Amino acid sequence: MTARTALVTGAQQGIGAAAARAFAVAGYDVAVNWLDDLAAAEAVAADIRAAGRRAVMVQGDVGTAASCAALVQAAIEGLGRLDVLVNNAGIFPRVPFLDMTEAEWDRVLDVNLKGSAFCAQAAARHMVATGTKGVILNLSSSSVRGAVLGVHYSATKTGVIGITRSMALALAPHGIRVNAIAPGLTDTAQPRHGNTEAELAEMAKAMPLGRMGRPEEIAGLMAYLASDAAEWITGQVYHINGGVYLA
């Protein structure tokens, strides 16, 4: 049987790296999209190969439709097919709302929202053309409830939910499933850009389960949603945040 394949954007670190490893363990060959840390991406690829799966490296920025199409095509050429796309790449440059510039707004929307939409479009076009009943997973965030230093970020992660639901409806006739995952505070480099370790510890204590999430926990949910066990699930948003957001 031909192995299933997955492309994970932003896979050089954090949740993306954990997702790439989780898909390899689940039996997928994986395309590792990376931006600016070749050594980190190579380490992820090495772990995929150690799990007995193929890994291909795909460098690229998801900030334009053209770059999205190019990196998806590179993944398809490297793996031979594409069954799963994980839209994980994203940025969260903290900035007070009153100081936010148009350029900062545009960059966050380009990467987080436009990138997710056009990577999904490129992947879905391939899936439809090849008759692949594929899966697209989009990364939202608990910041849909608001982020004091991330008006632009919150806007994109709320938008991800909207495009997830709309793409799920548009692609259902082709047997392609689309879901979103909204992590809470997770132990990655991202929250450390705007908080001290002491502040992170206090934030973790405030959660009902009393700790930050682990990237592997987010990745485990991704692997399940991509599996045949979840084949009747589409258009949904899964909040995984230790109980901080119960609705």
Side-chain angles (χ1 to χ4, degrees):
M1 292 180 63
T2 302
R4 290 186 180 180
T5 65
L7 163 62
V8 182
T9 68
Q12 69 186 33
Q13 64 180 356
I15 293 172
R21 294 182 176 107
F23 277 97
V25 171
Y28 289 74
D29 294 334
V30 184
V32 177
N33 165 242
W34 61 284
L35 177 63
D36 55 10
D37 192 337
L38 176 59
E42 287 178 333
V44 175
D47 288 341
I48 293 167
R49 295 179 184 120
R53 307 313 312 174
R54 290 186 302 149
V56 298
M57 308 277 288
V58 181
Q59 198 275 340
D61 184 335
V62 302
T64 69
S67 61
C68 288
L71 72 88
V72 170
Q73 183 59 33
I76 293 166
E77 291 175 357
L79 296 175
R81 57 181 289 153
L82 185 61
D83 297 281
V84 177
L85 167 68
V86 178
N87 272 319
N88 168 77
I91 57 174
F92 186 178
R94 275 71 170 176
V95 60
F97 174 59
L98 296 180
D99 298 329
M100 185 175 63
T101 66
E102 182 178 5
E104 289 169 327
W105 170 272
D106 287 346
R107 179 59 179 161
V108 174
L109 264 71
D110 282 349
V111 172
N112 295 4
L113 189 56
K114 183 167 72 175
S116 293
F118 282 95
C119 281
Q121 183 190 66
R125 283 174 172 170
H126 165 77
M127 293 171 184
V128 170
T130 57
T132 302
K133 296 185 184 302
V135 176
I136 297 171
L137 299 174
N138 299 321
L139 264 289
S140 182
S141 167
S142 60
S143 292
V144 295
R145 302 180 75 192
V148 67
L149 294 178
V151 170
H152 47 4
Y153 181 78
S154 182
T156 63
K157 294 305 182 178
T158 302
V160 162
I161 293 175
I163 66 171
T164 295
R165 291 169 173 161
S166 297
M167 288 191 298
L169 293 174
L171 297 175
H174 303 285
I176 299 169
R177 299 188 291 107
V178 189
N179 289 294
I181 298 171
L185 183 66
T186 306
D187 191 4
T188 67
Q190 188 188 80
R192 289 183 172 82
H193 289 311
N195 301 282
T196 66
E197 291 298 321
E199 289 170 336
L200 286 173
E202 288 302 312
M203 293 164 67
K205 288 179 183 177
M207 294 185 172
L209 290 183
R211 64 171 176 85
M212 289 193 288
R214 295 187 293 270
E216 295 75 17
E217 292 171 312
I218 314 302
L221 178 56
M222 293 178 186
Y224 168 73
L225 289 173
S227 74
D228 292 342
E231 65 180 5
W232 210 48
I233 300 174
T234 196
Q236 304 304 305
V237 182
Y238 287 83
H239 294 275
I240 177 169
N241 51 39
V244 72
Y245 183 13
L246 297 175

